[in-house]
Amino acid sequence: MYVTQASWKSEIFQSVVGFLPDWAQGTALGVFVLAVVTPWALKAKRRLAYHRAVRTGRPVPESARYAQGRGADHLGSYAPPPRRDDTTA
């Protein structure tokens, strides 16, 4: 019985690249690597900017905020109204 050691994702990638002409295989591989490395590099750049700003005491740029809230933390106009404290009336 033949058991492959590669994951199904790499098998699909190899089969898709295998259908491309030889001159396009290198380009496809380069685009794939660029698509994987770019988000990692941007995340590292933002993290570095955040740590530099914190270390020097400067205000943190909005684009470099680390671990900022998402989704439900920013409801905007959909946020529930503030609770009225009935004990002050």
Side-chain angles (χ1 to χ4, degrees):
M1 180 174 181
Y2 176 74
V3 177
T4 179
Q5 297 295 321
S7 70
W8 62 273
K9 295 175 200 172
S10 63
E11 290 288 332
I12 290 174
F13 180 74
Q14 287 178 357
S15 64
V16 168
V17 171
F19 280 113
L20 294 173
D22 291 338
W23 60 269
Q25 287 181 4
T27 305
L29 185 59
V31 168
F32 179 75
V33 168
L34 187 66
V36 171
V37 171
T38 301
W40 173 81
L42 291 174
K43 182 179 176 182
K45 180 182 174 187
R46 279 189 223 111
R47 185 175 290 172
L48 183 63
Y50 170 79
H51 287 295
R52 282 183 181 163
V54 168
R55 196 174 10 176
T56 60
R58 292 180 297 169
V60 178
E62 188 64 35
S63 64
R65 291 200 191 276
Y66 180 70
Q68 63 185 357
R70 298 174 190 211
D73 296 332
H74 304 286
L75 293 174
S77 62
Y78 297 102
R83 296 177 64 173
R84 280 183 45 190
D85 193 11
D86 293 331
T87 61
T88 59

